[in-house]
Amino acid sequence: LDLSGSMGGRSILPARSVIADALARLRPEDRLDVIRFDDRYDALFGAMRPATPDNLAAARAYVESTEARGGTEMMAPLMAALSTTAPPGRLRQVVFLTDGAVDNETALLAAIEAHLGNTRLFTVGIGSAPNSWFMTEAARVGRGSFTYIGRLDEVGARMGELFARLERPAMTDIAA
């Protein structure tokens, strides 16, 4: 979750709503962590945790306590999100929510490609002018999709579409 200064004002509201919607859809067998970033980053748990009622409540409180501030440094939080692999038989999906206001797109894309492993990366652009080129390319390299949310009243519909894809991956571990 991007908390940089460019996410301030009206962008932080739909961002919080997106995360709240995602948390509400998690099942007990799912696992979660929340990483928030600006010019530095921190993680709620620092590792994936089961989606228990207590962990979900902690995640909701963590997200609600967010305030936009600082610059945008995406490399470290992206690497933290991609640093672990899914347990055998599980598909790891990372949802990266930002307005995409960065200037090192090429380095970020190379890092995603190098560290993605078996993870799928889905990007969500928030606000009036996300860096759609970067967000689209990051999702393509990450074998995911890009979702754009320009207005708060679009959060439910746009995220419902994304969550439907996340909840029902078409195929995994295909071999020929």
Side-chain angles (χ1 to χ4, degrees), residues 28-49:
E29 63 270 18
D30 292 330
R31 300 176 63 77
L32 76 136
D33 196 6
V34 180
I35 298 172
R36 53 188 187 185
F37 67 95
D38 48 31
D39 48 10
R40 48 189 198 275
Y41 78 96
D42 59 27
L44 173 60
F45 301 120
M48 301 301 283
R49 295 273 177 92

Side-chain angles (χ1 to χ4, degrees), residues 32-154:
L32 76 136
D33 196 6
V34 180
I35 298 172
R36 53 188 187 185
F37 67 95
D38 48 31
D39 48 10
R40 48 189 198 275
Y41 78 96
D42 59 27
L44 173 60
F45 301 120
M48 301 301 283
R49 295 273 177 92
T52 64
D54 287 345
N55 288 342
L56 290 169
R60 282 189 291 276
Y62 184 74
V63 169
E64 279 303 312
S65 72
T66 59
E67 294 296 330
R69 62 183 190 270
T72 306
E73 174 50 51
M74 291 183 186
M75 186 67 76
L78 260 173
M79 294 303 95
L82 299 176
S83 67
T84 60
T85 58
R90 304 291 301 251
L91 176 62
R92 187 157 191 267
Q93 302 178 103
V94 172
V95 177
F96 192 71
L97 194 139
T98 180
D99 61 0
V102 296
D103 59 4
N104 62 337
E105 295 102 333
T106 303
L108 287 165
L109 293 171
I112 292 167
E113 192 165 22
H115 297 279
L116 187 68
N118 65 350
T119 300
R120 293 180 68 201
L121 176 65
F122 296 84
T123 58
V124 178
I126 295 284
S128 60
N131 183 335
S132 293
W133 180 84
F134 168 70
M135 303 290 284
T136 301
E137 284 300 299
R140 184 188 62 76
V141 169
R143 298 182 309 269
S145 63
F146 167 51
T147 301
Y148 169 61
I149 301 172
R151 298 185 328 262
L152 188 57
D153 64 350
E154 297 175 330

